[in-house]
Amino acid sequence: MIHHEQPHEKLEQPETPDATFRESTAMPAMEITQETRFAIVMYGGVSLAIYINGVAQELLRLVRATAASPSTPGVPMLKTDSLRGTEKICRRLGQMLGREGAEERSPVDASSPIRTRFVVDILSGTSAGGINAVFLAKAIANNQDISELRRLWIEEGDIEKLINDGRGQSALKRLRKPKPKSLLDSQRMLDVLRFALDGMDKASPPTPAASLADELDLFITTTDLQGLPVSLRLADGVVQERRHRNVFQLRYDRRPGTARNDFRPQNNAFLVFVSRCSAASPFAF
């Protein structure tokens, strides 16, 4: 029997044994020539909650990829070999954009300086978008991870868990069979949001000194069902009207003299309150 062995394809080898290693661990310099700033609006919609969370996760990766180290000027916060997933693409974009002259025509590698910084400094949201915006704002302000929010939507966002059938109430209340005030269990939603925010602080303790933004404004819209009385001056007199539109504004600012951080762990209860106010549709919560 004659055995014919197919020739093996010759694999290309790096020029030196450590060429690949040097490429993957090279540390670029922060030589910022421009900033690309984002003002984000996150719409409401129960069916969009998980989708919007995916967008929030990617925005956080975008900002982290070109953030500067708070302790070492001129160096990015994330080392090249610590970049994960799309952070690598975002880092490369930061190195490609903002180049000028002869540098534009030169190839980009892991050691090329970062010329463009990506910043999210304005966030607004309503309902499910408001909840996602609160978590993203907290993560940017304190340089934290928002995996807890992804877990919340996947594990606790099930309609069977949220339906207001009394399972989240005490045994005594179930015996009294109270008439539900809403289709979905508002108290359970309140509890899981607080658990997720507290879990976020435990999993990645806040480091405001390493914030991913110099300033950040968060606007969460809600509806005041009773309304706030306001006076309207007309041509022939003054009339009373009720304003039902309401907006919560929370802020992070690390500039000396105006320093402020509304996203500290001790404010988690209020952040949950704001989230639930925005998500309080009378037919649902």
Side-chain angles (χ1 to χ4, degrees), residues 223-229 242-244:
T223 301
D224 184 347
L225 296 180
Q226 295 183 353
L228 177 69
R242 287 186 177 273
R243 186 183 69 191
H244 298 277

Side-chain angles (χ1 to χ4, degrees), residues 7-83:
H8 293 288
E9 182 179 353
K10 184 178 180 181
L11 300 178
E12 293 185 4
Q13 300 294 329
E15 295 179 1
T16 58
D18 61 342
T20 304
F21 176 79
R22 289 203 309 269
E23 172 73 7
S24 63
T25 59
M27 193 66 166
M30 295 286 293
E31 299 177 5
I32 303 300
T33 59
Q34 67 178 19
E35 285 186 339
T36 300
R37 309 177 79 89
F38 294 86
I40 308 298
V41 178
M42 296 187 172
Y43 291 96
V46 175
S47 62
L48 296 177
I50 297 178
Y51 166 80
I52 298 172
N53 173 246
V55 174
Q57 300 278 353
E58 291 302 320
L59 286 170
L60 182 59
R61 295 187 181 100
L62 175 69
V63 173
R64 281 168 51 86
T66 58
S69 170
S71 58
T72 310
V75 174
M77 181 181 296
L78 296 182
K79 296 181 179 180
T80 303
D81 54 1
S82 65
L83 297 172

Side-chain angles (χ1 to χ4, degrees), residues 64 144 156 179 248 266:
R64 281 168 51 86
Q144 293 178 284
E156 303 294 340
K179 183 179 179 180
F248 290 100
Q266 51 266 45

Side-chain angles (χ1 to χ4, degrees), residues 24-154:
S24 63
T25 59
M27 193 66 166
M30 295 286 293
E31 299 177 5
I32 303 300
T33 59
Q34 67 178 19
E35 285 186 339
T36 300
R37 309 177 79 89
F38 294 86
I40 308 298
V41 178
M42 296 187 172
Y43 291 96
V46 175
S47 62
L48 296 177
I50 297 178
Y51 166 80
I52 298 172
N53 173 246
V55 174
Q57 300 278 353
E58 291 302 320
L59 286 170
L60 182 59
R61 295 187 181 100
L62 175 69
V63 173
R64 281 168 51 86
T66 58
S69 170
S71 58
T72 310
V75 174
M77 181 181 296
L78 296 182
K79 296 181 179 180
T80 303
D81 54 1
S82 65
L83 297 172
R84 297 291 179 267
T86 53
E87 290 174 347
K88 299 176 183 179
I89 299 174
C90 298
R91 169 68 61 82
R92 187 58 61 93
L93 285 174
Q95 294 170 308
M96 294 174 63
L97 300 177
R99 302 195 303 164
E100 298 178 352
E103 188 183 29
E104 281 189 279
R105 297 183 293 273
S106 61
V108 175
D109 57 31
S111 62
S112 300
I114 298 173
R115 298 295 189 192
T116 298
R117 180 190 179 201
F118 300 113
V119 179
V120 173
D121 55 4
I122 298 178
L123 282 163
S124 63
T126 299
S127 192
I131 295 173
N132 281 295
V134 165
F135 277 79
L136 178 57
K138 181 177 172 68
I140 291 175
N142 298 327
N143 189 17
Q144 293 178 284
D145 182 69
I146 51 175
S147 298
E148 279 295 315
L149 182 59
R150 181 173 61 241
R151 184 200 61 78
L152 182 151
W153 289 126
I154 294 175

